[in-house]
């Protein structure tokens, strides 16, 4: 099943043969750049329970096999080849998939073996032939070792931070068992063992109005990013701000773009005196009217036998 948003973002609903469970992945076309990004799922549901994420509400039903992860790329590539035009955008086909992010349903660290095998297949020139720099694995980091485990895959790492303050992060990611300092040490250790070209790392923050979008939150985040770069030579930290996408939460709201841009400005300016500046971008919301945006992916629950 396929749903297409007005901007061409295409959500795929795939049913697993062995038990009928369903998983979603999303093709995000960048018409001006001539390629698409594929957002891949690694599990049906997720046990991390992030309070701002629709997948977290499902709980974990099961992990996907390596083949079930790879088939998302197979079908996405096929759709980009055979769909001649996007609804609402005349004479515009989906550009080929050239970028893959493990940011769909599930926590990659909770299915690390299958994810690492899938990435090794994706970069294999005899198979999909995707460049290592074009694949990103995002993790909430259930424990400090998650970075080293996922870092064994030939792909960039991204950390779903959401807040640097420990008490606030526990509110947003209630399954958190480790302090941010303990998790940061795990990331530093993992990055130190990686090649220079894979030391570029993303820190992701889903911004919610009056929850984690204050100037103090921005300054803490910038200092946190700089501390990582100071410890790992050749590393580069990119902060990715994601304005909250509505999932029907009773209190979480999307901050104004003015507030988001002010947060971005503080993150960047707080790192101006550093030898290596902190890069900070605001992620454009894509596919939200079809519940295809970040944090909105969820499928109907079905009991696993």
């Amino acid at each position: 099943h396929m749903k297409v948003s007005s901007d061409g973002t295409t959500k795929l609903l795939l049913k697993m043969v062995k038990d009928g469970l369903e998983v979603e992945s999303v093709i995000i076309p960048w018409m001006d750049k001539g390629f698409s990004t594929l957002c891949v799922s690694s599990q049906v549901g997720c046990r991390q329970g992030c309070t701002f994420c629709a997948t977290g509400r499902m709980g974990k039903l099961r992990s996907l096999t390596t083949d079930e992860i790879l088939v998302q790329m197979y079908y996405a590539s096929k759709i980009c080849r055979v769909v001649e035009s996007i609804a609402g955008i005349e004479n515009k086909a989906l550009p080929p998939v050239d970028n893959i992010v493990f940011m769909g349903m599930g926590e990659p660290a909770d299915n690390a073996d299958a994810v690492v095998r899938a990435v090794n297949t994706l970069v294999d020139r005899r198979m999909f032939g995707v460049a290592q720099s074009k694949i990103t694995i995002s993790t909430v980091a259930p424990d400090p070792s998650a970075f080293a485990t996922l870092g064994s895959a030939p792909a960039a790492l991204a950390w779903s931070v959401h807040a640097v303050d420990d008490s606030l992060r526990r509110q947003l990611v209630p399954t958190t068992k480790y302090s941010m300092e303990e998790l940061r040490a795990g990331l530093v250790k993992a990055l130190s063992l990686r090649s220079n070209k894979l030391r570029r790392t993303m820190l992701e923050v889903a911004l919610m109005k009056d929850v984690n979008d204050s100037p103090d939150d921005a300054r803490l985040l910038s200092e946190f990013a700089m501390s990582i770069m100071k410890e790992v030579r050749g590393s580069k930290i990119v902060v990715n701000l994601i304005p909250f996408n509505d999932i029907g939460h009773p209190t979480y709201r999307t901050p104004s773009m003015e507030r988001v841009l002010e947060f971005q400005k503080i993150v960047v300016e707080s790192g101006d005196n550093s030898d290596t500046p902190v890069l900070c971008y605001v992620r454009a919301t894509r596919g939200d009217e079809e519940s295809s945006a970040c944090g909105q992916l969820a499928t109907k629950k079905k009991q696993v036998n």
Side-chain angles (χ1 to χ4, degrees):
H1 186 68
M2 186 170 71
K3 287 185 177 180
V4 183
S5 300
S6 58
D7 62 6
T9 298
T10 303
K11 180 165 71 171
L12 310 180
L13 179 66
L14 302 174
K15 181 177 284 190
M16 303 298 111
V17 172
K18 72 178 185 180
D19 53 19
L21 289 175
E22 295 172 332
V23 69
E24 293 178 328
S25 50
V26 182
I27 304 169
I28 306 166
W30 304 99
M31 299 300 181
D32 55 333
K33 300 174 183 177
F35 71 87
S36 294
T37 294
L38 177 64
C39 183
V40 172
S41 293
S42 57
Q43 296 179 305
V44 183
C46 181
R47 71 181 182 90
Q48 295 305 321
C50 297
T51 55
F52 50 85
C53 179
T55 310
R57 292 179 173 184
M58 294 177 61
K60 175 191 166 185
L61 299 187
R62 74 167 172 86
S63 292
L64 299 182
T65 65
T66 300
D67 288 346
E68 289 168 340
I69 294 171
L70 292 171
V71 80
Q72 296 172 67
M73 176 61 171
Y74 170 80
Y75 279 116
S77 298
K78 186 174 183 179
I79 287 168
C80 289
R81 288 197 308 271
V82 302
V83 176
E84 295 183 354
S85 64
I86 302 168
I89 307 177
E90 279 190 46
N91 302 318
K92 285 284 188 179
L94 286 168
V97 173
D98 188 46
N99 198 47
I100 300 171
V101 293
F102 282 77
M103 298 180 185
M105 298 170 65
E107 165 52 54
D110 290 335
N111 190 20
D113 288 347
V115 168
V116 171
R117 283 196 298 268
V119 172
N120 279 310
T121 302
L122 288 168
V123 301
D124 190 330
R125 292 183 179 180
R126 299 165 298 177
M127 305 296 285
F128 293 94
V130 181
Q132 295 182 15
S133 61
K134 299 293 183 70
I135 302 176
T136 301
I137 305 173
S138 176
T139 178
V140 78
D143 61 72
S145 68
F147 298 112
T149 303
L150 295 174
S152 65
L157 292 176
W159 182 10
S160 294
V161 171
H162 307 305
V164 174
D165 177 79
D166 282 323
S167 60
L168 178 55
R169 190 168 196 268
R170 279 192 293 271
Q171 174 188 328
L172 300 176
V173 188
T175 52
T176 297
K177 296 179 181 179
Y178 296 87
S179 70
M180 288 299 287
E181 180 52 40
E182 290 172 311
L183 295 173
R184 190 192 72 87
L187 176 60
V188 165
K189 182 178 180 181
L191 291 180
S192 300
L193 299 174
R194 310 202 86 197
S195 65
N196 283 339
K197 67 179 181 179
L198 291 179
R199 288 185 178 183
R200 180 184 173 101
T201 303
M202 188 186 302
L203 301 185
E204 299 167 306
V205 179
L207 283 179
M208 284 147 284
K209 181 181 178 181
D210 299 328
V211 176
N212 64 343
D213 64 343
S214 73
D216 284 343
D217 291 319
R219 280 187 282 270
L220 280 174
L221 181 60
S222 186
E223 292 168 5
F224 190 76
M226 286 187 291
S227 72
I228 296 169
M229 289 190 289
K230 285 178 182 177
E231 286 198 47
V232 185
R233 177 185 292 182
S235 64
K236 182 174 288 187
I237 300 297
V238 179
V239 174
N240 197 351
L241 304 179
I242 309 163
F244 173 67
N245 293 304
D246 183 38
I247 59 169
H249 192 279
T251 58
Y252 292 161
R253 297 291 179 267
T254 305
S256 67
M257 186 50 64
E258 181 182 10
R259 181 93 164 175
V260 173
L261 294 177
E262 179 62 23
F263 191 101
Q264 179 190 35
K265 181 180 178 183
I266 294 171
V267 170
V268 173
E269 291 183 349
S270 296
D272 275 350
N273 295 326
S274 173
D275 293 335
T276 306
V278 179
L279 301 177
C280 184
Y281 301 103
V282 178
R283 184 184 296 179
T285 298
R286 301 287 301 271
D288 54 324
E289 75 261 33
E290 292 292 351
S291 296
S292 304
C294 185
Q296 292 184 321
L297 300 187
T299 55
K300 293 179 181 179
K301 285 191 176 183
K302 176 182 175 182
Q303 188 66 39
V304 182
N305 296 324

